[in-house]
Short mmCIF file of all heavy atoms in Angstrom, two decimals:
data_model
loop_
_atom_site.label_atom_id
_atom_site.label_comp_id
_atom_site.label_asym_id
_atom_site.label_seq_id
_atom_site.Cartn_x
_atom_site.Cartn_y
_atom_site.Cartn_z
N LYS V 27 17.48 19.99 11.99
CA LYS V 27 18.52 20.73 11.17
C LYS V 27 18.10 22.14 10.78
O LYS V 27 18.90 23.01 10.72
CB LYS V 27 18.90 19.90 9.94
CG LYS V 27 19.72 18.68 10.25
CD LYS V 27 19.89 17.86 8.99
CE LYS V 27 20.79 16.65 9.17
NZ LYS V 27 20.81 15.83 7.97
N THR V 88 18.51 16.11 3.34
CA THR V 88 17.84 15.01 3.99
C THR V 88 16.37 15.29 4.29
O THR V 88 15.65 14.39 4.67
CB THR V 88 18.54 14.52 5.22
OG1 THR V 88 18.58 15.71 6.12
CG2 THR V 88 19.93 14.06 5.00
N GLU V 102 14.91 5.16 4.53
CA GLU V 102 14.35 4.10 5.38
C GLU V 102 14.36 4.59 6.90
O GLU V 102 13.59 4.05 7.68
CB GLU V 102 15.11 2.78 5.21
CG GLU V 102 16.59 2.95 5.56
CD GLU V 102 17.38 1.69 5.24
OE1 GLU V 102 16.93 0.83 4.48
OE2 GLU V 102 18.45 1.52 5.81
N TRP V 103 15.19 5.58 7.22
CA TRP V 103 15.21 6.02 8.59
C TRP V 103 14.08 7.07 8.89
O TRP V 103 13.88 7.54 10.01
CB TRP V 103 16.50 6.64 8.94
CG TRP V 103 17.07 7.62 7.95
CD1 TRP V 103 18.07 7.34 7.04
CD2 TRP V 103 16.73 9.00 7.72
NE1 TRP V 103 18.32 8.43 6.26
CE2 TRP V 103 17.50 9.49 6.64
CE3 TRP V 103 15.74 9.79 8.34
CZ2 TRP V 103 17.34 10.79 6.22
CZ3 TRP V 103 15.59 11.10 7.91
CH2 TRP V 103 16.39 11.58 6.87
N ALA V 117 19.88 6.75 13.28
CA ALA V 117 20.57 6.71 11.96
C ALA V 117 21.66 7.89 11.91
O ALA V 117 22.35 8.00 10.93
CB ALA V 117 19.62 6.92 10.81
N GLY V 118 21.68 8.71 13.01
CA GLY V 118 22.62 9.75 12.98
C GLY V 118 22.34 10.97 12.08
O GLY V 118 23.18 11.74 11.67
N ILE V 119 21.06 11.06 11.82
CA ILE V 119 20.63 12.15 10.89
C ILE V 119 20.28 13.46 11.60
O ILE V 119 20.54 14.52 11.12
CB ILE V 119 19.40 11.69 10.08
CG1 ILE V 119 19.69 10.44 9.27
CG2 ILE V 119 18.82 12.82 9.24
CD1 ILE V 119 20.77 10.64 8.22
N ARG V 124 25.07 16.99 18.92
CA ARG V 124 26.19 17.59 18.22
C ARG V 124 26.01 19.09 17.96
O ARG V 124 26.69 19.65 17.09
CB ARG V 124 26.48 16.85 16.96
CG ARG V 124 25.29 16.53 16.06
CD ARG V 124 25.85 15.67 14.90
NE ARG V 124 24.82 15.27 13.99
CZ ARG V 124 25.01 14.64 12.86
NH1 ARG V 124 26.25 14.28 12.50
NH2 ARG V 124 24.03 14.28 12.08
N TRP V 143 28.06 18.51 7.93
CA TRP V 143 27.38 17.27 8.03
C TRP V 143 25.88 17.43 7.83
O TRP V 143 25.15 16.42 7.70
CB TRP V 143 27.65 16.59 9.37
CG TRP V 143 27.56 17.45 10.65
CD1 TRP V 143 28.60 17.89 11.34
CD2 TRP V 143 26.35 17.85 11.30
NE1 TRP V 143 28.13 18.62 12.47
CE2 TRP V 143 26.77 18.64 12.40
CE3 TRP V 143 24.98 17.72 11.05
CZ2 TRP V 143 25.87 19.17 13.35
CZ3 TRP V 143 24.06 18.29 11.93
CH2 TRP V 143 24.49 19.03 13.03
N ASP V 145 24.09 18.14 5.31
CA ASP V 145 23.55 17.58 4.08
C ASP V 145 23.93 16.09 3.89
O ASP V 145 23.61 15.57 2.85
CB ASP V 145 24.08 18.39 2.88
CG ASP V 145 23.20 19.64 2.70
OD1 ASP V 145 22.06 19.66 3.10
OD2 ASP V 145 23.74 20.67 2.19
N GLU V 146 24.56 15.54 4.87
CA GLU V 146 24.95 14.12 4.76
C GLU V 146 23.74 13.26 5.08
O GLU V 146 22.96 13.55 6.01
CB GLU V 146 26.09 13.77 5.74
CG GLU V 146 27.42 14.39 5.25
CD GLU V 146 28.53 14.29 6.27
OE1 GLU V 146 28.31 13.60 7.29
OE2 GLU V 146 29.55 14.82 6.08
N SER V 147 23.58 12.17 4.36
CA SER V 147 22.42 11.32 4.58
C SER V 147 22.63 10.30 5.64
O SER V 147 21.74 9.52 5.97
CB SER V 147 21.97 10.63 3.25
OG SER V 147 23.09 9.94 2.73
N GLU V 148 23.81 10.25 6.22
CA GLU V 148 24.12 9.38 7.35
C GLU V 148 25.11 10.16 8.22
O GLU V 148 25.90 10.94 7.80
CB GLU V 148 24.85 8.09 6.88
CG GLU V 148 23.85 7.19 6.21
CD GLU V 148 24.58 5.88 5.73
OE1 GLU V 148 25.60 5.54 6.26
OE2 GLU V 148 24.06 5.29 4.72
N GLY V 149 24.95 9.92 9.55
CA GLY V 149 25.75 10.69 10.54
C GLY V 149 27.20 10.18 10.67
O GLY V 149 27.54 9.29 10.01
#
Side-chain angles (χ1 to χ4, degrees):
K27 288 174 175 173
T88 57
E102 60 186 21
W103 46 259
I119 299 301
R124 48 186 179 174
W143 47 255
D145 280 332
E146 291 171 5
S147 55
E148 290 177 21

